[in-house]
Amino acid sequence: MPLDPVLLDILACPEDRGLLILIEDEALYNPRLRKAYPIENGIPVLLVDEARDVDDETHARYIAAGTPSE
């Protein structure tokens, strides 16, 4: 289920309050901290403990494919 664009406009990283990048309705990505927050059943899980660290290769792929939230 795709995320509502209105929701994307108000979401921010819970750790640094910065913008997130939508990665194909599977994750919201913070490129500054290199943390990816999962999206489960169309619902973003914006919990610091649930975020996963992203390696260099995945970071580059996410930056190339992502859509920033504003």
Side-chain angles (χ1 to χ4, degrees):
M1 175 189 328
L3 283 178
D4 183 341
V6 174
L7 181 61
L8 281 175
D9 287 342
I10 61 172
L11 291 177
C13 175
E15 193 166 345
D16 75 356
R17 307 285 187 237
L19 294 177
L20 297 167
I21 297 173
L22 176 63
I23 307 299
E24 302 171 0
D25 292 329
E26 73 178 55
L28 289 169
Y29 180 57
N30 180 334
R32 297 165 306 283
L33 301 177
R34 291 191 177 203
K35 300 265 185 186
Y37 296 91
I39 298 174
E40 297 175 359
N41 298 319
I43 301 170
V45 181
L46 294 175
L47 300 170
V48 174
D49 292 342
E50 295 292 321
R52 64 179 171 76
D53 294 324
V54 172
D55 61 25
D56 291 340
E57 181 180 326
T58 305
H59 171 77
R61 185 170 45 92
Y62 281 0
I63 294 298
T67 303
S69 65
E70 299 179 300

